[in-house]
Structures are given as structure tokens and as C-alpha cells.
Amino acid sequence: MSDTLSINSERLWTRLMDMARYGALPGGGNNRQALTDEDKAGREQFMAWCREIGCEVRLDAIGNIFARRAGSDNTLPPVITGSHLDTQPSGGKFDGIYGVLGGLEVLHTLHDQNVKTVHPLEVVVWTNEEGCRFDTAMMGSAVWSGAMSLDSAYALTDRDHLSVKSELERIDHLGEHSATAGAIHAALELHIEQGPVLEAEGETIGIVTGVQHMSRHRIVVFGQEAHAGPTPMELRKDPVMALARMLPPLYEIAERHAPDGRITFGYINAEPGSSNTVPGRLEITIDIRHPQAAQYEQMLEEYNKAVRDACDQLELDVQMSCFWEAPGITFDARCIEAVRSSARGHGYTTREMCSGAGHDSCNVHTVAPTSMIFIPCEGGLSHNEAENVLPEDAAAGANILLGAILELAGVAGEA
Amino acid sequence: MSDTLSINSERLWTRLMDMARYGALPGGGNNRQALTDEDKAGREQFMAWCREIGCEVRLDAIGNIFARRAGSDNTLPPVITGSHLDTQPSGGKFDGIYGVLGGLEVLHTLHDQNVKTVHPLEVVVWTNEEGCRFDTAMMGSAVWSGAMSLDSAYALTDRDHLSVKSELERIDHLGEHSATAGAIHAALELHIEQGPVLEAEGETIGIVTGVQHMSRHRIVVFGQEAHAGPTPMELRKDPVMALARMLPPLYEIAERHAPDGRITFGYINAEPGSSNTVPGRLEITIDIRHPQAAQYEQMLEEYNKAVRDACDQLELDVQMSCFWEAPGITFDARCIEAVRSSARGHGYTTREMCSGAGHDSCNVHTVAPTSMIFIPCEGGLSHNEAENVLPEDAAAGANILLGAILELAGVAGEA
């Protein structure tokens, strides 16, 4: 039965557009930062929709919302799905929201069709995923999974020195339930890709098998300021010469570890920055990612060697430091298989892929079997008012979610 | 006789140290910016020293000082020598000052030895060479040589909106003589190298044959901002990839045109400058120099090709513009030969070289046969409180100047 059920794509799209009225921006995007009046309005709209179809809605101590649809055996742990409703200051209509309303649409479809699952189902809204107003991304899921203490989350403040706790109280969303994960049967998160791969390859569904290993590094190369005119090339201590020697081998690292190896130079700055002075100091950042631990580790080694070789050859001092690292994640095989099987049933084109960005699922996966589903987004854009998806892709993703949930939760009355 | 005369090196050094008391800084350097009270004091000290040895001192309408020692035939055009007394805000004791006091020392030696030249001699102090208080470098020599109008020089203002003209009046150095070059027999400028070549090669005297051709260019490469995680390497429009492709061939241009070709990347900046975002825009400046016109032109062609090739291969848009260019200068053969011959007579080690920086001589050369003499400076440093020279090198340079002046001006009574 599960492979024939389909969600109501018009209702899903209408709700996406309805949610986008809270904190709407003139450019078509949204400013619905965590725990603002706009966020409160969006969250309450979501809760109202859930109650309309008979869900029991509860808030926990960090403001995470759980909308529960009973199963046939409510002593069993729930299958949960969800994402976040908060946005960046100039965010879009889909990042996070799509996962929440896609989950709601699944429950609504089951309600319409009068289908009961064996395990209860819960749609979750995680508080403050974006981390832009209160500077910790994925905050609600971090507290719930035990990665962050409730008190440290409460103590986070925005630019106006308002705390998470006082803002939760102000909007009346500080719940009485413990912000601690109980037993979870399985967790699924539906999300826009936030990258260009699905669109470029013409595929509808990304079966997300994990999250990349990633780290960010800062390199400072020290040279000696010198006049561009009288100083011969061979007497210079020019950090840009080191850059010329390290950039090609660094990009080759990504080529050697293609197609999944990624290397990004986001920040490059030479000082003092005068056009007729050889710089005395060059600072760059390097972001290195790969889904496979072994290849990722090898990339790090090769990166170290490429930078040291370039600076050694020129006898320039260099400082290298890693200022951020997140270990990769391999999602749960059973959850991934449920998504795969649901996609087969619906006949959508798929691609297995690793997430390049962090999601609430990174926290959830530490306490529950977890995986994710991606749909294409226009030009790979997100965190941008122009963020966009095709209505048919939005429907496809929710259909996959529906099938996977039914497979994981079981349908009451089926064998 | 000319090859046996030597200057008084102690007196020269004492005067350099005496001049450094006007606008002295705690770090050993000087702040004697043009037309300040400190500059006035330094200029008046110079004029007093000149009058002590019987020179006639005159000021022109832009404040250039000419101290004249009569020749045996005063209908002949003078041989002039000099430089500037103004400094950068944290400048040194030698840049400019050495050329002025070296010239004075030559006149003082001739006075002591009772030597009369055929042509009259003049030591010149050019007003506002540094261009830091009033934003036009080599201002006094530019007006005098006709490269800049007197009115535009008068109208220049400092940060406090004080004009060159009002400051000349305030310090009472606006002279009655026309700021226009008359007939000049020859012009010589003694200067610190402001580069590391003489020191590195262990040579005492730089015979300066000209000034490099030079230009400064701005390149903006346009890419597309993208998330460092989800965006595969082959789908990126990454301007840093273009940088990786253009830097090695650009440095190779300098190698191909070694030892005199120079290429400098003084400014490099990637935007938006976030460590996990592929930059959407990269801006760099490139300073290109070579003493020979043909090689310089070839470097420009090669530079254009290297940048275009890199961006074309990656299909990235690029804007290239030249924002400053100064044609090279070849100094006067007779003046150069006089310096060469004087150096041979004194037995100093020499090196023929091109100036990499601009000097008042660049203006003077447009109206008079001109050349320059360089001495080593410690570590090639200038525009820095730590600027330093060895007293024996200072003496050597002044001796070379003395010999060259005697050769160019002729000694009265000699055949």
C-alpha cells in the first residue's frame, strides 16, 4: 500500500507560501530569525496546522516543537522527521521550512487516507538552527542530543543582549518537557540540497548517505616588505611567490580526490596591501572536505606538505592552524535503505550523495538512526532571498519521505 | 688635480646628524614633512651653512632653494646638484638629505681648497619631494621643469586644508625668483639606493644610468559565490583557480626578463572573504618594471596573455586596467661618464644600475643633462626610521660627486 500513497502537492506548496508571509522581505525572501515575533508567528501557524489534523503538540525546554500522531502501538519509540523554521536575516522560503512542512504534509496525507502507522510519528521543529541571531547553529537539536547543555544555550545572547531563555519566555515557547532525546526508532530530514549537483545532473532526489569530513585552516606566510622598484626578484622575501607555488598543488589535491574532494580558498589578503610594496604578510584560509575518512586524512597530509614545501623552497616562515573541524558522519544504513526503496517505488531519478553542509541531523544522528533526503534547488542557491525549488521537486521529496516513513514505522494491519 | 681632492667625511656626517635634529622622532627617524615648522628650520639651517662659505642663496616661487658658488665664467650655465630635505611622517635621516648635504660638502671642500670651477655650481633643495603632506611627489622639481603648473602646486592642500601657497607664505619661503628652469650645464643627484642591491653585492657606488619603465595594473576576476561544502570543484566559478593558473606564468615573466624584470603583487583580496564560501570576486594589483623599453613592452604583452589565458580556460570574466604608468628614463651619457670616471679615479667598487624609484632627477632630466649616484643603505630600507648608511659609504658617494662635478664644471686654470 505504501508505494501507492502520494502527498497533496498543492497543499504542501500553499503552506510553503503561507509560511513565507511571516517575516516576508521585499525581495521575496524571509527574515524570520530564531525567537523573534516573526518566528513565534511561524511556529504557532505550524502548531495550529498540526492540531487541525489531531496531532498532540508539545514544546520542550529549549523550544523544540514535537507534533505527534499516535501509532497503533504507542509504547514503541516514534519515527521522527523535521527540520527548522527559523531563517537567515535575508534567507529563503525553503531552507529548513521545507523539511518541517514536508513532514506535516506526510502526516496530513496519512490523516486524509486514514492510515495508521505501527510506531507513532512526530514532526519536529528544532529551535535556532541558523545560529545567526544567537551564535550557535543547530542549537535546539544540540541541546536535545546532549551536545550542548541547556544552560549554555539559555545563556546565549543576541546583539541587544537578549538571552535565548528570556526570548523563549517572552514568546511563551519555553516548554515544560525535558529537552532530552528519548528512544527514537528512526529519524529522517527532508531538505533542499543547498548545492548545484542534483540540478546540474538532472536528478530529482538525493539519497544522503552522510556528511563530509571537513576542516578549516588558516595559513599566514611571513615575508619582508620591500619596494617594488629597487628590489630584485632574487632578493625578495615575497609571500605571494609562496602562494604561486602552493596554489596549483593544493588544487591538484582536490583533483586527485575527485569527485568528492573539495578545497576552497575563501579568504586571501596581502599586507600592507600597497600596489608598489612587496607584501610582508599573506593570510589565507583553506576549507578541506571529503566524505571518506581515509581520503580526507590523506588530503590533510597532502595539504600540509604542499604548504610546507612552497614556504621551505623560498625560506619563508609560515604559521598553519586548524581553526574548525567537524568529523564526517555516516548515516544509518536502514534509514538510507528506506529512502532508497521509497524512491524506487516512486520511480524518481536519484543520486546517492554526501551533505556538504551541517544540519540538525548531524546532532540527531548521535542519538538515533538517521538519514536525509535532498531535493534540487535553483542554481544551488541558499541563504539567499532568491532561494527557489520547483513545486514538482518539492512534491517528489515529500512523497519519498512518506514512503520511507511508512517503511520505517510500519503500517498497522499490514503483515 | 680633480682625482686627488677628497671631501671632509666627518663634517658631512656631523651635518647629517645635525639636520636630523629638526623633526627628530624617538625611534631615530625624522618627521620633517614639507613646509612644516620643522622643514622651515631644516631649510634655514641649510641656507645658513651655505652662506657661511660665501654662497649666494635664492628661493624661487615654489620654495626651491638654490645655493650658488660662482665659477670663473658666470655667463656659463651652472652645474647643479641636490635633492630634498623633507621626509615622510616616519622617515629617515638620509633619503634626500644626503643628496643636499653631499652637494653642500662638495662646495665646502672646494671652498676649503680654494678651487674655482669654470661653470658656476648650485646646490638645490627641491620643495616637497615626498608628496606625503601635499599629495604630489617631486612637486618642486615638477614645477621648475614645467611638468606641473605653479598654480596647481599652490592649490594643493594638506589634511587641515592648508595650501602649499599659504604654507610657503607662513614660513616665509615663497621666493621672488621664477620657478622655471634656465639653462643648466649638467645636473647630478646623490641618493641612497633605497634597495638592497649594492649592499647584497658588496659594492660601494651605484652609477645610475636611468629609471625603470613602470606601470601598475588592477585585475578583477569575477566568479560566483558558492558554498564550500555542497559545490563540486567542476561546477565552481572560482576566481582563486584563475589566480592559481596565472601566478606561476606571471612570475616566470620576471624570470625570463631577469635580472632587471620586476613583478609585484602588492594587493590581493577575495570577496566576500568567508572561509566556507567560494569567492565571487578577486582583486589583485600587479606592478611591472623593466629598464629597457623593448623588454618592458614584451613583459606587458606576456602579462596580458597570462591573465587572459587563465581566465579564458576557466570561462571567468576579467577586468584589466592600467591605473598608473611612468615611462622609463635614460640618463645623459656625458653625466653618466663623469660619474664613472670619478669612481675610477677614487678606486671605489661600482655597479651600473637603474633606479627603481622616482626622484627629482626624473623631472630635472627633462630640461637638463642629468644622472644620479647611489650609495648602499642598510637592508635596502627607506621611508623608515631605521633607514641607515655607513659613514664611509656616505663619504664615498660625496667624493664621487665631487669628482664628477669638477669634470663637468671644469676647474679654472686647468687646460
Side-chain angles (χ1 to χ4, degrees), chain A residues 316-336:
Chain A
L316 296 178
D317 288 334
V318 61
Q319 277 177 0
M320 300 171 71
S321 58
C322 174
F323 64 93
W324 183 79
E325 183 161 30
I329 289 171
T330 303
F331 283 141
D332 179 71
R334 193 171 47 100
C335 291
I336 296 169

Side-chain angles (χ1 to χ4, degrees), chain A residues 193-197 200-201 212 216 224-236 238-245 247-248 251 254-255 259 261-279 282 285-287 289 323 354-358 379 381-383, chain B residues 193-197 200-201 212 216 224-236 238-245 247-248 251 254-255 259 261-279 282 285-287 289 323 354-358 379 381-383:
Chain A
E193 180 196 347
Q194 299 185 272
V197 175
E201 303 194 351
Q212 294 172 330
R216 293 181 203 146
Q224 186 170 38
E225 286 178 33
H227 194 303
T231 317
M233 301 306 285
E234 70 275 14
L235 294 179
R236 298 182 177 196
D238 176 2
V240 184
M241 277 190 203
L243 187 69
R245 292 194 189 211
L247 280 181
Y251 275 116
E255 277 174 39
R262 311 256 151 96
I263 196 155
T264 304
F265 306 87
Y267 180 90
I268 308 185
N269 190 47
E271 285 178 8
S274 161
S275 61
N276 63 339
T277 301
V278 176
L282 177 78
T285 63
I286 305 187
D287 179 299
R289 305 190 185 210
F323 64 93
C354 237
S355 172
L381 274 185
S382 71
H383 290 193
Chain B
E193 182 197 345
Q194 299 185 273
V197 175
E201 303 195 349
Q212 294 171 330
R216 293 183 202 145
Q224 186 170 38
E225 286 178 33
H227 193 303
T231 317
M233 301 306 285
E234 70 275 13
L235 293 179
R236 299 183 178 195
D238 176 3
V240 184
M241 277 190 202
L243 188 67
R245 291 193 190 212
L247 278 181
Y251 275 116
E255 277 173 39
R262 312 256 153 95
I263 196 155
T264 305
F265 306 87
Y267 179 91
I268 307 185
N269 190 47
E271 287 177 9
S274 161
S275 60
N276 63 340
T277 301
V278 176
L282 177 79
T285 63
I286 306 187
D287 179 300
R289 306 189 184 211
F323 63 93
C354 239
S355 172
L381 274 185
S382 70
H383 291 194

Side-chain angles (χ1 to χ4, degrees), chain B residues 35-80:
Chain B
L35 311 185
T36 55
D37 288 346
E38 293 75 18
D39 190 30
K40 172 186 171 70
R43 291 157 60 94
E44 290 178 355
Q45 173 65 80
F46 169 75
M47 293 191 272
W49 283 330
C50 292
R51 287 188 184 112
E52 280 170 18
I53 56 168
C55 290
E56 173 205 331
V57 177
R58 66 179 196 277
L59 280 161
D60 74 12
I62 196 63
N64 296 321
I65 308 171
F66 297 80
R68 180 178 175 102
R69 182 168 192 266
S72 62
D73 182 350
N74 290 306
T75 63
L76 293 175
V79 171
I80 70 172

